[in-house]
Amino acid sequence: MERIYAAALQMAPGIGPSRLRSLIAFFGSAQQAWQANRGDLFLCRCLDETSCNNLLVYREKIDIHRLAERWRQAGICICMFTDHEYPPLLREIFNPPYVLFYRGRLPRPKELLIAIVGARRASSYGRNVAQMLGAGLAAAGIGVVSGAARGIDTAAHKGALQKGQTYAVLGCGVDVCYPPENAKILAEIAETGGIISEYAPGTPPHAGHFPARNRIINGMCRGVVVVEAGERSGALITADYALEEGRDVFAVPGSIFSEGSKGVHRLLKQGAKLVTEVQDILEEYDVRPVSHYAAPELLPDEAAVYGSLDYEHPLSVDEIVIKTNLSASKVTYALLQLELRGLIGEDGAKRYIRTAREGDR
């Protein structure tokens, strides 16, 4: 029950990680801090008057035992800063969260973790690279961490799920699907990896939560890979946290004409390691790449359709028909077969692109 009391305290208005630590240190346990009377709470001087009054009002509304049972039924677990399973690198950052909520599992204490982050409005190129790197890192036994946002984050998670484990750190409760279209992928992540947040279950996403979320992504990991980022991208906040905490920063170059590459190129000028393949990351940690690459065996129509596509510029069915001189029905059937084998992907509005894999280039 100590974890439940710590979580309830963290949920109270005005009590952040620092104040929570002070309360628990003064009273000896989260339970005793939760149950302390008004006089003792004022005497401890861990809270100002407003926060103290807020806690007193808040705890009258909470049934601790009912809360614990609701979370248990939802498969939501709690980890405290003092627990063995708390991510060890996260302990080292400035102001780490005292309580983490999670579904699935937390990374193993010695598991090597690398974050992949980038723009929400990512290009086809950026999503393809993120998925390729996510798959390559996971295949090598590295846990891939990202924020489950649209764009680069989602692509990185998808790639990692093909080969191993991935962890999503949210700016909302672990039972809240945001963005809504990621409900399926979040369920898949919870089955083999974990969904993690410092925000209580039921907490909706809020713009102010995401910079704080980024410090956890960085804090859990040995390194951060930035795939696409504009000059004011949230991914750069994660990279800045990484630099401040002495973590490794990697960056994938993009077009010099793209606004979405300006932030990445600034990181490269500042000394981030340039990444063009997963081996560029693995060699920093003396990890051998695991490749099961084999050139795909394709039927003639499949080969024609596959040959008409590249990794950056999605094509519609009509455009593929023109390039291949095949009928629309043959093109549609070939696309279905290629997509089922994971060789291509739909890039929105029925436009198709090759799925990048290590060894393709």
Side-chain angles (χ1 to χ4, degrees), residues 49 69 95 154 171 178 196 224 233 239-240 252 258 319 323 359:
E49 184 175 354
E69 179 59 20
N95 199 27
T154 295
Y178 181 79
I196 302 164
V224 175
S233 170
D240 287 341
V252 176
S258 171
E319 289 170 322
K323 290 188 72 173

Coordinates of all heavy atoms in Angstrom, one line a residue, residues 49 69 95 154 171 178 196 224 233 239-240 252 258 319 323 359:
E49 N 1.3 27.1 2.7 CA 0.0 27.0 3.2 C -1.1 26.6 2.2 O -2.0 25.8 2.5 CB -0.4 28.4 3.8 CG -1.8 28.4 4.5 CD -2.1 29.7 5.2 OE1 -1.2 30.6 5.2 OE2 -3.2 29.9 5.7
E69 N -7.8 -0.7 -6.1 CA -8.5 -1.8 -6.8 C -8.8 -1.4 -8.2 O -8.7 -2.3 -9.1 CB -9.8 -2.1 -6.0 CG -10.6 -3.2 -6.7 CD -9.9 -4.5 -6.8 OE1 -8.9 -4.7 -6.0 OE2 -10.3 -5.4 -7.6
N95 N 15.7 16.3 -10.6 CA 14.3 16.2 -10.3 C 13.6 15.0 -10.9 O 12.6 15.2 -11.6 CB 13.6 17.5 -10.6 CG 12.2 17.6 -9.9 OD1 12.1 17.1 -8.8 ND2 11.3 18.4 -10.5
T154 N 5.9 7.3 -33.5 CA 5.1 6.2 -33.9 C 5.9 5.2 -34.8 O 5.8 4.0 -34.6 CB 3.8 6.6 -34.5 OG1 3.0 7.3 -33.6 CG2 3.0 5.4 -35.1
G171 N 2.7 11.8 -22.0 CA 2.4 13.1 -21.4 C 1.0 13.1 -20.9 O 0.4 14.2 -20.8
Y178 N -3.4 8.6 -26.5 CA -3.1 9.8 -27.2 C -1.9 9.7 -28.0 O -0.8 9.3 -27.5 CB -3.0 11.0 -26.3 CG -2.8 12.3 -27.0 CD1 -3.9 13.0 -27.6 CD2 -1.5 12.9 -27.1 CE1 -3.7 14.2 -28.3 CE2 -1.3 14.0 -27.8 CZ -2.4 14.7 -28.4 OH -2.2 15.9 -29.1
I196 N 4.7 4.1 -19.9 CA 5.1 4.7 -18.6 C 4.7 6.2 -18.6 O 4.7 6.9 -19.6 CB 6.7 4.6 -18.6 CG1 7.1 3.2 -18.7 CG2 7.2 5.3 -17.3 CD1 8.6 3.0 -19.0
V224 N 20.2 9.4 -27.3 CA 19.0 9.9 -28.0 C 19.3 10.1 -29.4 O 20.2 10.8 -29.8 CB 18.5 11.2 -27.3 CG1 17.3 11.8 -28.1 CG2 18.1 11.0 -25.9
S233 N 11.5 22.4 -32.5 CA 10.8 21.1 -32.2 C 11.0 20.6 -30.8 O 12.0 20.9 -30.1 CB 11.5 20.0 -33.2 OG 11.1 18.7 -32.8
A239 N 16.8 16.5 -26.8 CA 18.3 16.5 -27.0 C 19.0 17.4 -26.0 O 20.1 17.1 -25.6 CB 18.5 16.9 -28.5
D240 N 18.4 18.5 -25.7 CA 19.0 19.4 -24.8 C 19.1 18.8 -23.4 O 20.1 18.9 -22.7 CB 18.2 20.7 -24.7 CG 18.4 21.6 -25.9 OD1 19.4 21.4 -26.6 OD2 17.5 22.5 -26.1
V252 N 20.1 12.2 -37.5 CA 20.0 11.7 -38.9 C 19.9 12.9 -39.8 O 19.0 13.8 -39.6 CB 18.8 10.8 -39.0 CG1 18.6 10.4 -40.5 CG2 18.9 9.6 -38.1
S258 N 14.9 21.4 -46.3 CA 13.7 21.1 -45.5 C 13.7 21.8 -44.2 O 14.7 21.8 -43.4 CB 13.7 19.6 -45.2 OG 12.7 19.2 -44.3
E319 N -0.2 6.4 -60.5 CA 1.2 6.7 -60.8 C 2.0 5.4 -61.0 O 2.9 5.3 -61.9 CB 1.9 7.5 -59.7 CG 1.3 9.0 -59.7 CD 1.8 9.7 -58.5 OE1 1.9 9.1 -57.4 OE2 2.1 11.0 -58.6
K323 N 4.0 4.0 -64.4 CA 5.4 3.6 -64.4 C 5.7 2.2 -64.8 O 6.7 1.8 -65.4 CB 6.0 3.9 -63.0 CG 6.1 5.3 -62.7 CD 6.9 5.5 -61.4 CE 8.4 5.3 -61.5 NZ 9.2 5.6 -60.3
G359 N 20.4 -3.1 -44.9 CA 20.9 -3.9 -46.0 C 20.3 -3.5 -47.3 O 20.7 -4.0 -48.3

